[in-house]
């Protein structure tokens, strides 16, 4: 029986990496009924919302979507399509694994962390206004409800996947009310998971420690803004945004996405690395119960990298289509 999956092909290089990703999934033998839905710049240019209601309704109906990068118009009043999807579908948990990959040299050997980023509030609630003509105000929204959801998700993931620890990341030494609430919620929830080591750390200290003592960390859980920043730091540690996957989970649906942007200057050049979207698709496959296919794709990607077939961001000269073809060959070989 085929899995139904909504697909957003995105802007810029989105359609190219989507095509590459779909070829790899097909070669892995996964039967997927792709349902294309609209979002992004073409919707704005047509006078529609950046994520139309029909797209939200279809993803909610199907329950799973794979999303290529989309462009947010800057300074034009358009909200982020990514934030819109997360808020309207209540995708409260953004999960971004970061691990060392064979054939991708970095100074951070043995990297293996998973970041849990709260996805629905904090400054990303986008509550901001001009208090006076020369003073802008933004509201940092932190609730006990949203904090507990993401913290429990992190602990449940750690328990299910035999991870050794969960670290709460915050700035409660300065934002004693907002981040203080997140920290107090963590301290309460951790009591329900005595089998998992847990502690907290301040976000700036974490950033320093990640690049000096990264092996000390396992699962990290944090509010929205810190999650955005730390996950990009972790992506750089594993080799760049071109290899960094991500998934967004709610109670009733999930959307999987490449972490990087739409890179419009590279559109049509057959140049950009399709790994991030493809590895995000392996997270999707596990969500769909296709763990064997996910492992096969990951292994095929690793063998391709070890053979030196890499795109420009990894100092190689393979095109998007060539890298995808090499992975397909590994899967079929």
């Amino acid at each position: 029986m085929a899995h139904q999956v909504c697909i957003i092909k995105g802007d810029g290089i989105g359609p190219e990496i989507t095509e590459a990703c779909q070829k790899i999934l097909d070669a892995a033998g996964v039967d997927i009924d792709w349902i294309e839905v609209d979002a992004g710049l073409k919707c704005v240019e047509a006078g529609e919302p950046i994520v139309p209601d029909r797209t939200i309704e279809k993803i909610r109906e199907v329950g799973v979507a794979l999303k290529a990068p989309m462009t947010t118009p800057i300074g034009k009043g358009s909200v982020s399509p990514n934030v819109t999807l997360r808020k309207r579908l209540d995708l409260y948990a953004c999960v971004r694994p970061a691990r060392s990959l064979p054939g991708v040299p970095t100074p951070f050997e043995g990297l293996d962390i998973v970041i849990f980023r709260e996805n629905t509030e904090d400054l990303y609630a986008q509550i901001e206004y001009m208090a006076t003509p020369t003073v802008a105000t933004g509201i940092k929204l932190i609730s006990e409800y949203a904090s507990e959801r993401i913290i429990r998700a992190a602990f449940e993931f750690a328990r299910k996947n035999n991870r050794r620890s969960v670290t709460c990341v915050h700035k409660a030494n300065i934002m004693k009310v907002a981040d203080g609430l997140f920290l107090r919620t963590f301290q309460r929830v951790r009591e329900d998971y005595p089998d998992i080591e847990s502690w907290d750390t301040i976000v700036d200290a974490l950033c320093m420690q990640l690049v000096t003592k990264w092996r000390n960390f396992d699962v990290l859980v944090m509010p929205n803004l810190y999650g955005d920043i730390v996950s990009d730091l972790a992506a750089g540690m594993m080799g760049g945004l071109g290899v960094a996957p991500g998934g967004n989970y709610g109670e009733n649906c999930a959307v999987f996405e490449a972490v990087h942007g739409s890179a419009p200057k590279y559109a049509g050049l057959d140049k950009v690395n399709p790994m991030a979207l493809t590895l995000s698709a392996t997270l999707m496959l596990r969500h769909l119960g296709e763990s064997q296919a996910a492992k096969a794709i990951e292994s095929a990607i690793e063998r391709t990298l070890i053979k030196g077939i890499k795109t420009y961001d990894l100092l190689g000269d393979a095109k998007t289509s060539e890298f995808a073809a090499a992975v397909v060959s590994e899967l079929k070989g």
Side-chain angles (χ1 to χ4, degrees):
M1 181 177 176
H3 299 285
Q4 283 196 326
V5 175
C6 292
I7 183 78
I8 299 175
K9 294 187 176 180
D11 303 312
I13 48 84
E16 297 166 58
I17 61 173
T18 298
E19 181 181 1
C21 176
Q22 288 177 308
K23 287 180 178 178
I24 292 169
L25 266 62
D26 184 59
V30 186
D31 190 3
I32 296 178
D33 177 15
W34 296 103
I35 302 169
E36 187 171 353
V37 292
D38 296 325
L41 280 181
K42 65 180 179 181
C43 293
V44 174
E45 291 167 354
E48 296 185 289
I50 199 163
V51 183
D53 288 344
R54 65 179 181 278
T55 295
I56 296 292
E57 291 163 5
K58 179 55 71 171
I59 296 174
R60 190 175 285 133
E61 174 191 336
V62 172
V64 182
L66 181 66
K67 182 186 75 62
M70 292 185 285
T71 300
T72 301
I74 297 174
K76 297 182 180 179
S78 294
V79 298
S80 161
N82 299 327
V83 173
T84 300
L85 282 166
R86 294 165 191 165
K87 289 174 67 175
R88 293 196 61 188
L89 294 170
D90 196 25
L91 304 173
Y92 66 88
C94 178
V95 181
R96 295 186 176 176
R99 64 183 180 89
S100 303
L101 293 167
V104 181
T106 79
F108 306 101
E109 294 181 5
L111 177 69
D112 184 11
I113 61 174
V114 182
I115 296 165
F116 274 71
R117 167 190 175 190
E118 201 289 316
N119 234 358
T120 64
E121 52 181 36
D122 198 1
L123 291 170
Y124 287 66
Q126 294 179 298
I127 305 171
E128 53 181 2
Y129 58 92
M130 296 301 297
T132 75
T134 58
V135 177
T137 298
I139 304 297
K140 180 180 174 73
L141 177 66
I142 300 287
S143 71
E144 184 178 41
Y145 169 73
S147 299
E148 181 164 348
R149 281 202 304 184
I150 191 64
I151 292 164
R152 284 198 182 278
F155 274 105
E156 288 295 331
F157 173 88
R159 179 176 281 175
K160 181 179 178 180
N161 292 278
N162 297 315
R163 310 292 295 209
R164 69 182 187 277
S165 67
V166 176
T167 303
C168 172
V169 182
H170 61 88
K171 191 67 176 174
N173 59 324
I174 301 299
M175 284 166 279
K176 301 179 186 299
V177 176
D179 281 27
L181 175 58
F182 191 87
L183 175 58
R184 290 193 302 275
T185 304
F186 175 83
Q187 292 168 336
R188 173 172 58 81
V189 171
R190 66 184 286 186
E191 297 301 319
D192 295 335
Y193 301 88
D195 51 314
I196 299 170
E197 185 181 1
S198 59
W199 70 91
D200 68 273
T201 187
I202 296 169
V203 63
D204 43 317
L206 171 80
C207 290
M208 184 273 293
Q209 291 169 2
L210 268 183
V211 297
T212 56
K213 302 176 182 178
W214 60 92
R215 291 184 180 86
N216 291 347
F217 298 99
D218 193 356
V219 177
L220 307 174
V221 61
M222 62 200 76
N224 206 334
L225 177 61
Y226 311 145
D228 194 1
I229 296 168
V230 171
S231 60
D232 273 17
L233 170 61
M237 293 171 68
M238 68 181 290
L241 291 174
V243 300
N248 302 277
Y249 301 83
E251 295 296 338
N252 300 306
C253 61
V255 176
F256 300 86
E257 62 184 0
V259 172
H260 60 73
S262 60
K265 69 178 181 179
Y266 293 125
L269 299 182
D270 194 23
K271 184 174 182 178
V272 172
N273 193 343
M275 272 184 62
L277 187 63
T278 305
L279 290 174
S280 298
T282 66
L283 299 179
M284 180 188 76
L285 291 179
R286 286 189 169 85
H287 180 72
L288 293 171
E290 298 281 359
S291 296
Q292 186 173 351
K295 290 179 182 177
I297 291 171
E298 290 167 347
S299 295
I301 287 174
E302 290 178 0
R303 292 195 299 273
T304 300
L305 292 170
I306 290 170
K307 288 181 177 180
I309 303 172
K310 306 173 188 178
T311 47
Y312 82 98
D313 57 309
L314 300 179
L315 305 181
D317 57 6
K319 297 180 179 180
T320 305
S321 56
E322 291 171 342
F323 183 86
V327 175
V328 167
S329 178
E330 290 291 336
L331 285 165
K332 292 184 175 180

